[in-house]
Amino acid sequence: MRIRKKLIFLHTFFSLLLAAILVVALRPAVGRIVQEAEEHEARLVMSVLAAKLKAPGGVGPVIDDLRRGLPPEVSLAAGGIEALGLDAAAAAHAHASPGEPIAVLMPGRSPTVIVY
């Protein structure tokens, strides 16, 4: 009976140790995959916004319509470089490819997608 208890203990300990190692090893990869998925979804929203902005009626109603379907933690704004708080590099990158959603990482902010 003692050997069986030791075997159960060692098996459980090994399984927990293996699970902990896998969590530590896979956490950065999973975080990167989640970030890429969020950027992809943001690019889709920005593509819809860019297409709708070409229609007459102004920016305000289009942004209000898109905000209704977005989760509360997602912000959607329109404006100039200063109003949006973009840095010069992000603005230059957006100007270089007009109409195309660009993912930008700026210090102190969550991942951002912009369209010029």
Side-chain angles (χ1 to χ4, degrees):
M1 194 77 162
R2 279 186 270 158
I3 293 175
R4 188 174 291 169
K5 287 181 182 180
K6 284 181 186 176
L7 186 61
I8 291 171
F9 173 76
L10 288 174
H11 181 267
T12 304
F13 177 74
F14 176 75
S15 297
L16 292 174
L17 182 66
L18 184 61
I21 290 171
L22 285 174
V23 165
V24 170
L26 294 177
R27 188 171 185 187
V30 170
R32 195 171 341 124
I33 289 170
V34 169
Q35 182 178 357
E36 288 175 4
E38 288 174 348
E39 286 178 6
H40 176 71
E41 292 296 318
R43 284 184 181 151
L44 289 175
V45 169
M46 293 304 286
S47 295
V48 169
L49 178 62
K52 286 189 173 191
L53 287 178
K54 293 177 184 174
V59 176
V62 173
I63 290 180
D64 290 339
D65 287 343
L66 282 175
R67 275 193 188 124
R68 286 189 209 125
L70 295 175
E73 62 270 5
V74 175
S75 70
L76 187 61
I81 296 170
E82 295 83 22
L84 296 175
L86 299 176
D87 59 3
H93 194 73
H95 284 286
S97 52
E100 181 181 334
I102 305 294
V104 179
L105 293 175
M106 292 183 286
R109 291 182 66 174
S110 59
T112 305
V113 176
I114 57 176
V115 174
Y116 175 72

